[in-house]
Amino acid sequence: MLLNFVSRMFSRDLAIDLGTSNTLVFVQGEGVILNEPSVVAIRLADQSVVAVGREAKEMLGRTPGNVAAIRPLKDGVIADFDVAQKMLHHFIERTAGRYRALLRPRIVIGVPSGITQVEKRAVRDSAMQAGAREVYLMEEPTAAAIGAGMPIQEPGGNMIVTIGGGTTEVAVLSLAGVVYCESVRMAGDEMDEAIVQYVKKHYNLLIGERRAEAIKIAIGSALKGDGERRTVEVKGRDLIDGIPKTIVVGEEEIREALSESVATIVETVRVCLERTPPELAADIIDTGIVMAGGGALLRGLDELLRRETALPVTVADNPLSCVALGTGKVLDELELLRKVALGR
Ligand code: ADP
Ligand code: MG
């Protein structure tokens, strides 16, 4: 207790949401102070870092031959170890530099639930190298549920659906542990890719993943909405004559493009519900399903899940920062941290 108090006086502990699309850093006593895309631009000749975060994301699909913009966690797992380490190191330095403390920080990191032993070690090592005193890892769904304010320490069943960039994770939590979890590599990135393919097939137009993401956020939906027919202008390169061209696409078209991704997400929730132990499933009828992650913001997805499951469905207050808020909360509750931290 006293030691805890003393260490808090002299160090600012950090919590990190290491996401496939976005990385957030939470500083104890401050809140989320960094929120950047998980992208690193690397100079190929010497593997040096050219840019990290927003600036590097701007470069996706636009880099000259000697620079590569890389998403090190692209498919829900750590696809590029070295680059992931560099990114984590950069973000920790950037925040720790602002909160120079006497003691090195403890760091809690939220990681995808499918992470392997080797990946865990890589994440732990890079945080240690970046100056951590101790590193704790916790699973993303647990962090998201805590961040969304769900009472996961109690014996009742809680279902959280986290739709990120690389994966959708559906988890049932009880007594601070994951009772059951389904994870699929179908989330925001796949939706973007589906839009790229749709525009290519129907308009012979080639667009990049960033533009596809912008279309999704602007007019994407999972269900027929309020009757308003939103459209968006899309610029790309014509596949036939190779010339830049502008087209207009409507929300029905994008809904069609996204329908397969959306169906997979709904199916995953259904499978998870079927496999949940009956006592907990009964709890979920009362408590309902909470959605988190950026994909939870897709228009109409909550309503669709409500219709398909006949359960109450809500979107967390801050779906994009739930994981960071959850890992941050755990910094202040040692007891809870011990329960949720992943073993080595
Ligand atoms: P991760 O945890 O994998 O980093 P996030 O929870 O940060 O993922 O969510 C990022 C994903 O959410 C991206 O694929 C992004 O395009 C998507 N996203 C963000 N805002 C919206 C929105 N309004 N509608 C649909 N998808 C969105
Ligand atoms: Mg996330």
Side-chain angles (χ1 to χ4, degrees):
M1 205 48 205
L2 181 66
L3 200 66
N4 191 14
F5 172 74
V6 172
S7 82
R8 207 171 309 157
M9 294 253 320
F10 296 106
S11 83
R12 294 281 199 143
D13 292 338
L14 302 181
I16 301 175
D17 166 12
L18 187 61
T20 58
S21 296
N22 299 295
T23 297
L24 282 72
V25 181
F26 179 107
V27 174
Q28 197 174 25
E30 298 285 332
V32 175
I33 63 142
L34 180 145
N35 181 353
E36 297 260 353
S38 306
V39 186
V40 185
I42 296 279
R43 194 180 319 282
L44 294 172
D46 57 359
Q47 297 291 303
S48 63
V49 174
V50 177
V52 185
R54 221 164 301 285
E55 203 188 325
K57 186 174 182 182
E58 284 293 312
M59 297 179 185
L60 272 178
R62 287 190 179 132
T63 47
N66 58 341
V67 174
I70 296 172
R71 291 184 53 192
L73 284 90
K74 187 154 177 137
D75 299 309
V77 291
I78 300 182
D80 190 325
F81 263 37
D82 282 352
V83 177
Q85 285 201 331
K86 284 185 169 127
M87 182 178 83
L88 193 55
H89 201 275
H90 173 96
F91 286 143
I92 293 173
E93 288 240 294
R94 218 157 95 189
T95 35
R98 273 171 62 185
Y99 296 93
R100 227 5 119 206
L102 290 175
L103 271 181
R104 298 192 302 162
R106 276 185 317 162
I107 303 187
V108 177
I109 305 178
V111 293
S113 62
I115 193 168
T116 64
Q117 214 58 33
V118 180
E119 289 171 338
K120 274 189 217 166
R121 179 141 17 93
V123 170
R124 226 186 273 280
D125 286 353
S126 47
M128 291 302 283
Q129 275 170 29
R133 174 173 91 245
E134 291 162 36
V135 181
Y136 299 90
L137 305 184
M138 67 186 286
E139 289 180 308
E140 214 180 292
T142 314
I146 294 172
M150 299 170 83
I152 63 143
Q153 298 204 65
E154 286 157 31
N158 296 278
M159 180 175 274
I160 179 109
V161 179
T162 317
I163 308 164
T167 56
T168 293
E169 319 216 335
V170 185
V172 176
L173 298 135
S174 183
L175 295 167
V178 175
V179 180
Y180 191 80
C181 179
E182 281 284 332
S183 174
V184 275
R185 286 191 189 176
M186 177 63 86
D189 294 341
E190 291 286 336
M191 294 184 197
D192 301 346
E193 181 56 28
I195 292 175
V196 170
Q197 294 306 331
Y198 184 95
V199 171
K200 188 165 153 190
K201 185 169 163 208
H202 294 266
Y203 293 95
N204 279 318
L205 194 75
L206 212 53
I207 62 170
E209 60 182 272
R210 286 188 41 237
R211 212 161 292 264
E213 181 186 30
I215 298 172
K216 174 185 70 180
I217 292 175
I219 62 167
S221 60
L223 262 189
K224 207 170 159 112
D226 44 22
E228 204 183 312
R229 297 171 62 131
R230 297 177 186 84
T231 57
V232 70
E233 271 193 6
V234 182
K235 297 189 184 75
R237 181 157 56 81
D238 192 287
L239 271 172
I240 314 230
D241 56 20
I243 291 170
K245 183 169 96 172
T246 305
I247 56 157
V248 174
V249 287
E251 69 172 279
E252 310 79 30
E253 292 174 282
I254 298 305
R255 187 158 56 245
E256 185 190 326
L258 298 181
S259 61
E260 217 183 296
S261 312
V262 166
T264 305
I265 292 169
V266 171
E267 187 53 29
T268 308
V269 173
R270 215 200 297 269
V271 168
C272 192
L273 281 169
E274 278 169 19
R275 298 188 183 160
T276 299
E279 284 299 332
L280 296 177
D283 294 337
I284 295 168
I285 294 176
D286 298 326
T287 53
I289 299 172
V290 176
M291 296 168 72
L297 291 168
L298 184 72
R299 234 173 255 112
L301 187 53
D302 54 340
E303 178 58 28
L304 180 64
L305 265 184
R306 210 168 289 135
R307 286 188 197 172
E308 295 287 324
T309 62
L311 292 172
V313 177
T314 48
V315 177
D317 280 344
N318 303 294
L320 282 157
S321 39
C322 274
V323 173
L325 294 174
T327 49
K329 208 168 194 173
V330 162
L331 284 178
D332 285 329
E333 295 182 37
L334 270 189
E335 192 71 15
L336 180 57
L337 175 59
R338 257 181 230 118
K339 284 187 201 154
V340 300
L342 293 175
R344 261 142 226 273

